[in-house]
Amino acid sequence: MAHVISAAETLEETLTQELGFNDHFHEHHHGDKFQSNFLTHYIFSTDHKMIARQFLITGIFWAFIGAAMSIIFRLQLGFPEADLVWLKPLLGKWIQVNAAGIGKLDPEFYYSLVTMHGTILVFFVLTAGLSGTFSNLLIPLQVGARDMASPLLNAFSYWAFFLAGVVMFLSLFLSTGPFSGGWTAYPPLSALPQASEGSGAGMTMWIVSMALFVVSALLGGINYITTVLNLRTKGMNMWRMPLTMWAFFVTAVLGVLSFPVLFSGLLLLMFDRGLGTSFYLSEIVVGGQVLDRIGGSPILYQHLFWFLGHPEVYIIILPAMGIVSEVMSVHARKPIFGYRAMVFSILAIGFLSFIVWAHHMFMSGVNPFISNFFVIFTLIIAVPSAVKVFNWITTIYGSNFRFNSASLFSIGFVSMFISGGLTGIFLGNSAIDIQLHDTYFIVAHFHIVMGIAAFFGMFAGIYHWFPKMFGRFMNETLGKVHFWGTLIGAYAIFWPMHYTGMAGVPRRYYDAGASFDAFRHFTDLNKFITVAAIVVFFLQVLFIINFFYSIFSGRKMTSKNPWGANTLEWTTPIETGHGNWPGNIPTVQRWAYDYGKDGKEFIPQYVPLGENEHDHGNH
Amino acid sequence: MAAITPQYSRSNINSQKFALWVAIAAMIMMFGSLTSAYVVRRAAGNWFEFKLPDLFFINTVVILLSSVTIQLSYRAFKQGKEQQYKGLLIATFVLGMAFVIMQYMGWEALNAIGATFTINPSSSFIYVISGLHAAHVLGGMLALTVALVHAYYLPFKATIRRQQRFELVVQYWHFVDVLWVYLIFFFTIQS
Ligand code: HEM
Ligand SMILES: [Cu+2]
């Protein structure tokens, strides 16, 4: 790599040469000779940018599988009478053909599909695929570091995730089927191998896979935290960090503090399954046989699970919030409104997320007086959430908004977050939850606020940073079709579920309650939901096609900073090598949101403050 | 690995040390959740009471002693006293090994008084929590082994780099030590 930088051509290069931080990168840089062959460059890479792409593509793979599963069980729910023989080549014995030649989805496998769908989407797609991708891609680039604190552990983090995926994938092919007791894996279904078909080998593989996943999340999280706190470039104090950094940082803290608790829960579960302890089991009869396992409490598992589980939902949504704040501000050409309030609400949400877990257990027999405590903290979460929503709306308000796929998805995120957040406030009241718990209302709530909203944040990030990742742009027309179709389609799927849920239709039932007279009038609504789901599924296929097509043939990026953004990732060369900046690391002189200031459209972070200019990063 | 190491670091804390602290926070959460589970489960009644084996208490002294030896070894390293540094490192390793073996004997003693692994969660918890702790001690001994290899195969030179690495081992070792003190204290006031 050429070392001598000839005469600086742009302001940015001049500034980086004059003010940049010289860490003697070249003297120590033994070329990328270890990165040069295919295997070490694309597969066993330690470059955070490559690891980010690995997370993303693995996430897309899992999203496809998980979504396809949902289409299969939606067919069952919308059209319980339909003949599914055509799925036999794919599902084999899980399609039972009766005497009349009609193929039906095996009920056990229906449960497996629902369980796998939840596990895959929550952990593999919206945790690893979202936080894994963007924390890896952006943390070193936006704080101004050459790579993560430990590039090697970072690679291990990906490979642990990959292995978790392999184990989960293999479990899909077990003759007894994958685990089928719900993504939360409550005992006794998860604790007794004889409890159901999927509780045997399927559950064992589920636990092994999740344990590997915890390892991946911890290795990643430790790296993200250390990098943000220790490797910021000169001048990048915490208050100058883009909101993406704050969000990813708090996400990582939540992960490091909550995943170990899930691990404990799973550890005890393993002993119950394999070694005859009774942490979660008491006085159980399976198939007419009384077990001698006494003294345990299934509620204990729920506490341990939801102590992770609730922070986990914020592990999913916070990165999306960070991405949306950044994308929105760049395309609104306006500073994010209330930067500090945004930071404090991220911190408040992070803190509160640890003291609300029992709102998932109002109906599990926990003491109603203790429930009151959790009701209050749950409702308080609405405050920082609302602060964020107001700030996003105010950022868009009166701006010269650039409507493109990325920014549209960021607006869509806000819409979804509002709709889903509101239903959360219903559910947070333990009295109302008596009616709504375990109904389709819950399904609607968390799909809108977590599923769709987090996906929208992810899409905003992908469209926005695609040029950074692949040096090309995604197709805008397809992107807009993708956005509008998904926005309308997602509401079409989940809005009606609020009504079925309020009427009491239980979630997870094989026939969506159609066998109850009281729910029979929802049959058409269920058909409608299934059709909408199929349409949305194909729109996502369109996205995947756009994604892979654009990697190879998208419009090429010709300048470093196509969106006119302030953050440091847009100062690296178009073809960014390992180490990110070929020469000095730029130093940071101002916060990340000087848009439309002093008559300039944008002022990147490396530009020194003018005289008498107010420094937002140093109050 | 490609040499990406030299980075500008904001604070004076070395990143590896910081990463270790974050990892320790994760371990604290894991043990914290297990001991909380213990409290919650105990409050629900149907709890089999028994006395902890004396070995657990004797072992507390052993592991505390090992913390002293490793700290002294670290000091000797910094002062350039090679023999003392090596000897104390070995002593730490031996004490660690003694700790794990005696924990095992402690479990056998528990088993002998009828507090078996599966009889009641009260005893299951003891095995699981102390077993998980022992696993962390074994992890520490792995790190000690690396430190021993450094001590005996590399020429003695108290470079900053080596000192920092050694410090990581020392801090982790102190952590598993304090962790055990917490656990034994917890078990004692709970039972
Ligand atoms: C104003 C904020 C929110 C409140 C007050 C709230 C409240 C609740 C409550 C009380 C439940 C339990 C309902 C039941 O099972 O009976 C619940 C379920 C759930 N919430 Fe929220 N929520 C909020 C925001 C969120 C966010 C931001 C996410 C994710 C990003 C989320 C994800 C979930 C999930 C995944 C479940 C269901 C888990 C399951 O049972 O499978 N919620 N929410
Ligand atoms: Cu929750």
Side-chain angles (χ1 to χ4, degrees):
Chain A
M1 218 180 281
H3 175 208
V4 206
I5 298 170
S6 45
E9 279 155 21
T10 62
L11 173 68
E12 176 214 315
E13 284 171 12
T14 321
L15 287 172
T16 314
Q17 272 183 35
E18 284 171 7
L19 303 171
F21 177 71
N22 183 359
D23 60 352
H24 308 284
F25 181 51
H26 277 281
E27 283 101 289
H28 293 270
H29 191 58
H30 307 305
D32 252 7
K33 68 180 178 201
F34 297 100
Q35 297 275 327
S36 54
N37 72 43
F38 180 84
L39 211 62
T40 47
H41 184 66
Y42 289 105
I43 315 289
F44 298 110
S45 175
T46 53
D47 183 348
H48 69 102
K49 297 182 293 299
M50 184 56 71
I51 296 173
R53 282 173 274 184
Q54 291 173 331
F55 267 108
L56 180 57
I57 290 174
T58 316
I60 290 178
F61 168 80
W62 279 112
F64 181 79
I65 306 248
M69 287 174 163
S70 75
I71 295 304
I72 297 172
F73 67 67
R74 259 331 300 184
L75 280 175
Q76 161 62 31
L77 293 169
F79 303 92
E81 314 297 326
D83 178 7
L84 297 181
V85 169
W86 58 276
L87 278 171
K88 201 158 173 66
L90 179 66
L91 298 183
K93 73 164 185 163
W94 301 117
I95 298 292
Q96 299 164 341
V97 185
N98 64 15
I102 305 286
K104 287 267 155 272
L105 184 66
D106 182 291
E108 277 289 333
F109 196 63
Y110 166 82
Y111 289 126
S112 293
L113 285 176
V114 177
T115 303
M116 285 297 123
H117 169 78
T119 309
I120 289 170
L121 266 298
V122 167
F123 293 108
F124 292 180
V125 181
L126 293 177
T127 305
L130 176 57
S131 161
T133 302
F134 288 102
S135 299
N136 267 305
L137 178 71
L138 294 178
I139 289 179
L141 283 172
Q142 288 194 337
V143 302
R146 299 257 177 230
D147 202 319
M148 286 287 176
S150 169
L152 187 63
L153 284 190
N154 208 27
F156 285 160
S157 159
Y158 173 74
W159 287 104
F161 165 50
F162 184 84
L163 271 182
V166 170
V167 174
M168 196 64 86
F169 192 72
L170 290 179
S171 85
L172 301 179
F173 300 99
L174 290 169
S175 69
T176 46
F179 180 52
S180 55
W183 77 279
T184 52
Y186 281 0
L189 281 181
S190 58
L192 292 169
Q194 66 272 42
S196 75
E197 274 192 28
S199 303
M203 180 59 193
T204 304
M205 291 177 80
W206 189 94
I207 297 193
V208 171
S209 171
M210 287 312 297
L212 286 166
F213 188 83
V214 171
V215 171
S216 159
L218 290 176
L219 291 178
I222 290 172
N223 241 324
Y224 307 154
I225 295 173
T226 312
T227 309
V228 170
L229 289 184
N230 275 338
L231 298 184
R232 279 170 286 131
T233 182
K234 267 192 185 144
M236 179 66 92
N237 65 42
M238 294 297 270
W239 292 108
R240 282 177 174 169
M241 294 201 305
L243 286 172
T244 32
M245 292 300 99
W246 275 105
F248 298 160
F249 170 66
V250 175
T251 302
V253 172
L254 295 189
V256 164
L257 296 181
S258 65
F259 272 110
V261 179
L262 175 69
F263 190 82
S264 303
L266 295 181
L267 187 73
L268 300 184
L269 192 56
M270 276 192 247
F271 287 121
D272 271 11
R273 289 173 62 76
L275 295 176
T277 55
S278 315
F279 290 109
Y280 304 136
L281 295 166
S282 197
E283 285 133 41
I284 295 194
V285 183
V286 179
Q289 192 200 349
V290 184
L291 302 185
D292 62 350
R293 312 280 282 275
I294 44 168
S297 153
I299 305 284
L300 184 60
Y301 176 84
Q302 298 190 13
H303 280 298
L304 292 172
F305 182 85
W306 286 114
F307 190 87
L308 157 92
H310 188 84
E312 167 66 19
V313 305
Y314 284 96
I315 288 172
I316 288 174
I317 207 72
L318 283 175
M321 290 175 162
I323 289 171
V324 163
S325 305
E326 176 64 22
V327 169
M328 194 173 266
S329 175
V330 170
H331 294 289
R333 314 310 287 153
K334 258 180 78 183
I336 189 85
F337 188 86
Y339 172 82
R340 288 201 161 220
M342 287 302 231
V343 172
F344 284 121
S345 33
I346 292 176
L347 294 171
I349 289 175
F351 172 73
L352 287 170
S353 72
F354 279 105
I355 47 175
V356 298
W357 78 90
H359 65 213
H360 296 274
M361 301 163 61
F362 289 150
M363 295 298 289
S364 304
V366 296
N367 184 325
F369 294 104
I370 295 181
S371 286
N372 286 343
F373 171 88
F374 287 100
V375 168
I376 296 197
F377 286 114
T378 301
L379 297 184
I380 291 178
I381 287 211
V383 177
S385 309
V387 168
K388 296 195 77 74
V389 167
F390 284 125
N391 286 351
W392 284 317
I393 294 176
T394 325
T395 303
I396 308 172
Y397 183 77
S399 69
N400 256 330
F401 207 79
R402 275 199 308 233
F403 290 97
N404 53 30
S405 314
S407 65
L408 283 171
F409 270 110
S410 74
I411 299 183
F413 169 92
V414 178
S415 164
M416 289 294 165
F417 188 71
I418 296 174
S419 311
L422 281 178
T423 51
I425 299 175
F426 288 47
L427 298 170
N429 292 281
S430 54
I432 300 177
D433 193 51
I434 296 173
Q435 165 72 6
L436 297 178
H437 177 65
D438 261 352
T439 65
Y440 270 85
F441 195 90
I442 307 293
V443 179
H445 161 67
F446 71 76
H447 276 91
I448 290 185
V449 74
M450 172 169 84
I452 309 298
F455 259 108
F456 275 26
M458 189 164 161
F459 287 138
I462 294 175
Y463 284 107
H464 185 84
W465 280 289
F466 194 86
K468 191 76 255 168
M469 283 192 265
F470 299 103
R472 290 168 189 270
F473 291 87
M474 287 182 72
N475 183 302
E476 268 298 310
T477 316
L478 290 181
K480 285 186 181 142
V481 172
H482 176 218
F483 169 73
W484 288 109
T486 310
L487 181 82
I488 298 167
Y491 273 125
I493 298 170
F494 295 112
W495 199 272
M497 289 188 188
H498 292 101
Y499 301 115
T500 57
M502 278 190 266
V505 179
R507 71 192 270 206
R508 289 180 171 148
Y509 275 35
Y510 176 63
D511 65 354
S515 48
F516 298 90
D517 275 340
F519 302 141
R520 202 148 291 148
H521 58 287
F522 289 130
T523 315
D524 287 338
L525 205 54
N526 267 326
K527 286 197 173 65
F528 172 78
I529 293 175
T530 298
V531 172
I534 294 172
V535 173
V536 169
F537 177 75
F538 282 106
L539 282 164
Q540 308 319 305
V541 174
L542 187 72
F543 163 79
I544 295 180
I545 293 172
N546 188 357
F547 181 88
F548 285 103
Y549 177 80
S550 303
I551 290 181
F552 300 105
S553 317
R555 183 163 62 85
K556 271 203 166 151
M557 186 177 169
T558 49
S559 67
K560 279 182 186 177
N561 188 0
W563 307 125
N566 290 343
T567 39
L568 293 182
E569 77 271 29
W570 304 105
T571 63
T572 60
I574 296 179
E575 296 260 335
T576 314
H578 199 177
N580 297 341
W581 290 270
N584 293 352
I585 300 183
T587 53
V588 167
Q589 317 287 340
R590 56 176 71 237
W591 76 331
Y593 294 102
D594 277 332
Y595 292 102
K597 189 182 177 192
D598 299 340
K600 296 204 190 72
E601 197 193 346
F602 67 103
I603 313 177
Q605 284 191 279
Y606 56 77
V607 177
L609 290 170
E611 258 175 65
N612 304 328
E613 200 181 342
H614 172 65
D615 178 8
H616 282 273
N618 192 10
H619 280 256
Chain B
M1 294 304 117
I4 298 296
T5 4
Q7 305 208 17
Y8 173 70
S9 169
R10 282 209 48 96
S11 50
N12 301 325
I13 305 168
N14 145 305
S15 319
Q16 285 170 345
K17 199 152 107 187
F18 189 81
L20 175 69
W21 292 348
V22 181
I24 286 179
M27 293 178 229
I28 291 176
M29 287 307 290
M30 180 163 71
F31 283 94
S33 62
L34 285 169
T35 47
S36 319
Y38 182 102
V39 174
V40 169
R41 173 59 198 83
R42 183 167 190 267
N46 185 2
W47 191 251
F48 176 67
E49 304 273 355
F50 55 89
K51 213 171 130 306
L52 285 180
D54 293 337
L55 270 171
F56 277 12
F57 296 96
I58 300 171
N59 240 348
T60 312
V61 180
V62 172
I63 198 160
L64 278 172
L65 211 61
S66 76
S67 252
V68 175
T69 54
I70 199 164
Q71 189 62 37
L72 289 177
S73 164
Y74 180 61
R75 206 172 71 182
F77 177 82
K78 283 202 295 192
Q79 294 169 344
K81 298 182 185 150
E82 186 178 358
Q83 286 318 323
Q84 222 177 343
Y85 147 65
K86 288 183 178 172
L88 285 162
L89 205 53
I90 292 190
T92 312
F93 188 87
V94 171
L95 286 169
M97 194 141 71
F99 176 82
V100 175
I101 293 171
M102 281 163 66
Q103 287 296 82
Y104 184 79
M105 286 157 60
W107 297 325
E108 281 184 330
L110 264 183
N111 208 33
I113 59 167
T116 61
F117 187 51
T118 56
I119 191 154
N120 187 278
S122 63
S123 54
S124 312
F125 266 119
I126 303 280
Y127 288 98
V128 170
I129 296 175
S130 60
L132 198 61
H133 173 263
H136 282 73
V137 175
L138 284 175
M141 288 174 62
L142 209 67
L144 273 180
T145 313
V146 176
L148 279 169
V149 171
H150 279 181
Y152 281 89
Y153 287 89
L154 299 180
F156 182 77
K157 228 167 62 206
T159 61
I160 289 285
R161 182 90 196 93
R162 273 178 73 184
Q163 185 186 327
Q164 283 173 345
R165 278 198 204 166
F166 191 19
E167 203 184 348
L168 293 178
V169 183
V170 173
Q171 292 196 342
Y172 178 76
W173 194 263
H174 287 325
F175 165 69
V176 289
D177 176 1
V178 173
L179 181 60
W180 177 252
V181 174
Y182 160 69
L183 291 175
I184 194 80
F185 179 73
F186 173 84
F187 290 144
T188 314
I189 58 162
Q190 282 291 323
S191 51

